[in-house]
Amino acid sequence: MGKSDTLRYGPPGASAVHLCVDMQRMFAEGTDWKMPWLERVLPNIVSITSAQPENTIFTRFIPARKPGQGCGMWRHYYERWGSMTIDQLGAEMIGLVPELATFVPPARTFDKNVYSPWIGTDLHQQLRSAGIDTVIITGGETDVCVLATMLGAIDWGFRVILVTDALCSSADETHDAMMNVYMNRFGEQVETVTTDTLLESWQGASQRKAS
């Protein structure tokens, strides 16, 4: 990743949390929303989670119960995507992929009904009250829920670290376009690093604290 693969503000420490976005069965298995890349980045997300599971939060996107439910344009959305409502999917499909579900607890889940985990929730208050000032973002999709998660974190003033090889999408073109935006337009507020670079720093900080 060249010059972008650096932590400009130093190693993330005890005030950092890993916010893993929507790594759920409904995006991994044979549904209309399957992300083919998910399996490719999953080992990196497992590595990051296993380094500090107690500092990991998995967001889960919770769709409407049945087609046509929702407020405003979300009603139309679930008319179009009726196959992805809970009644048609099965409630088990909103769960995390098995490789990540094993980390809960000590990792925890945080449910949301829209793309952003910051809207209509107390996530900001939870993190601030726990002394968190840094969010490390992984998951999917790069150009939808990851985007919403990142923008909200920026607006709340968190330090944002995006792990470039632990993000996935179902569309190559928009993934690539968003990565360019993240590394350039948001270059002052977002640090983009690889899994290896993150773990060299975050694992080391964890080990020093334990010793």
Side-chain angles (χ1 to χ4, degrees):
M1 196 56 72
K3 66 179 182 180
S4 297
D5 189 20
T6 182
L7 289 163
R8 295 193 307 278
Y9 302 112
S15 61
V17 68
H18 171 209
L19 200 57
C20 180
V21 180
D22 302 358
M23 293 292 284
Q24 297 162 255
R25 290 181 57 190
M26 65 182 179
F27 301 117
E29 301 181 21
T31 73
D32 288 339
W33 287 353
K34 180 178 179 179
M35 290 187 288
W37 297 14
L38 190 148
E39 290 186 5
R40 186 192 316 172
V41 303
L42 183 56
N44 289 337
I45 295 176
V46 168
S47 294
I48 295 167
T49 304
S50 62
Q52 298 211 30
E54 69 280 3
N55 293 320
T56 294
I57 299 172
F58 296 111
T59 67
R60 300 193 308 174
F61 181 79
I62 309 300
R65 172 65 59 181
K66 59 184 64 178
Q69 283 189 335
C71 178
M73 292 302 295
W74 285 104
R75 181 186 301 274
H76 297 284
Y77 184 82
Y78 286 115
E79 289 172 352
R80 165 63 180 86
W81 295 110
S83 63
M84 298 304 298
T85 55
I86 293 175
D87 281 353
Q88 295 198 27
L89 272 179
E92 70 280 359
M93 293 295 283
I94 67 173
L96 298 174
V97 296
E99 294 88 342
L100 298 177
T102 61
F103 291 104
V104 182
R108 64 187 177 96
T109 59
F110 188 90
D111 292 346
K112 59 195 177 75
N113 299 109
V114 294
Y115 299 144
S116 172
W118 311 101
I119 301 297
T121 76
D122 64 348
L123 180 59
H124 166 251
Q125 291 89 340
Q126 287 188 33
L127 297 184
R128 289 301 190 197
S129 66
I132 300 300
D133 62 15
T134 300
V135 291
I136 299 164
I137 299 176
T138 67
E141 293 192 62
T142 312
D143 41 358
V144 186
C145 290
V146 167
L147 172 62
T149 301
M150 184 207 71
L151 288 173
I154 289 173
D155 284 342
W156 281 116
F158 290 99
R159 177 188 181 187
V160 177
I161 300 171
L162 283 178
V163 188
T164 56
D165 55 357
L167 301 175
C168 56
S169 178
S170 57
D172 291 8
E173 182 178 358
T174 48
H175 168 87
D176 293 343
M178 287 313 307
M179 293 307 301
N180 183 55
V181 169
Y182 294 154
M183 286 186 268
N184 291 287
R185 291 288 289 176
F186 293 101
E188 289 302 314
Q189 293 170 301
V190 176
E191 295 159 85
T192 53
V193 298
T194 61
T195 298
D196 286 345
T197 295
L198 174 71
L199 289 179
E200 285 172 10
S201 177
W202 209 25
Q203 281 182 316
S206 178
Q207 291 164 357
R208 288 191 295 271
K209 180 181 176 183
S211 62

